[in-house]
Amino acid sequence: MDNKLRSVKILEEVLGYFLHHGVEKLDISFFSDDKKLIITVRGSTDVEPQDLPQLIRLLNEPRKPEYEEYYWSLLGASSKRQELHLLGSLVDCGAGSFKDHTLTIHVERDY
């Protein structure tokens, strides 16, 4: 799978997190080249997602290169549930915050 398709799958999963939590007005910053992917998504909401600490923890778990090809095939395969545990295994680091009614998620991956 090429890096552009991987970048799109990661972005879709991050967007899915926002939509799952009812955040519909989003600002997206997206950078991708042959070496790096950087995504930051912000959205306005009145309620902090209860699972935000879990998401941040998952985004900072070590990558699992030995499972990557299998995980890529699973990411986005189900429209009914999010694959955040898979996403955390496919990015290098991530951050999240909720401040002044703004939810922000940031992820990075080196290719």
Side-chain angles (χ1 to χ4, degrees):
M1 175 181 308
D2 76 352
N3 290 344
K4 288 183 181 183
L5 185 54
R6 287 181 172 136
S7 298
V8 169
K9 284 190 165 221
I10 291 170
L11 177 60
E12 285 177 346
E13 198 65 29
V14 173
L15 292 176
Y17 180 82
F18 279 81
L19 297 175
H20 175 75
H21 289 288
V23 184
E24 296 175 347
K25 184 178 179 184
L26 305 173
D27 293 315
I28 301 167
S29 172
F30 179 90
F31 170 81
S32 179
D33 65 14
D34 292 339
K35 297 179 182 178
K36 190 156 191 84
L37 168 68
I38 303 171
I39 296 172
T40 303
V41 180
R42 290 180 182 85
S44 298
T45 181
D46 291 330
V47 180
E48 179 177 0
Q50 291 182 348
D51 62 350
L52 183 59
Q54 177 187 7
L55 173 64
I56 295 167
R57 182 183 53 77
L58 289 171
L59 292 177
N60 288 288
E61 287 187 356
R63 275 177 54 184
K64 297 179 177 91
E66 64 274 17
Y67 296 115
E68 279 201 9
E69 287 308 313
Y70 177 65
Y71 285 177
W72 284 119
S73 67
L74 294 176
L75 195 64
S78 172
S79 61
K80 294 186 180 191
R81 64 184 175 101
Q82 294 177 283
E83 302 294 350
L84 297 175
H85 62 286
L86 298 179
L87 179 63
S89 297
L90 298 170
V91 299
D92 291 304
C93 63
S97 65
F98 180 77
K99 184 177 178 183
D100 298 328
H101 300 282
T102 300
L103 175 63
T104 303
I105 304 293
H106 176 87
V107 296
E108 295 186 18
R109 176 185 166 89
D110 293 326
Y111 286 115

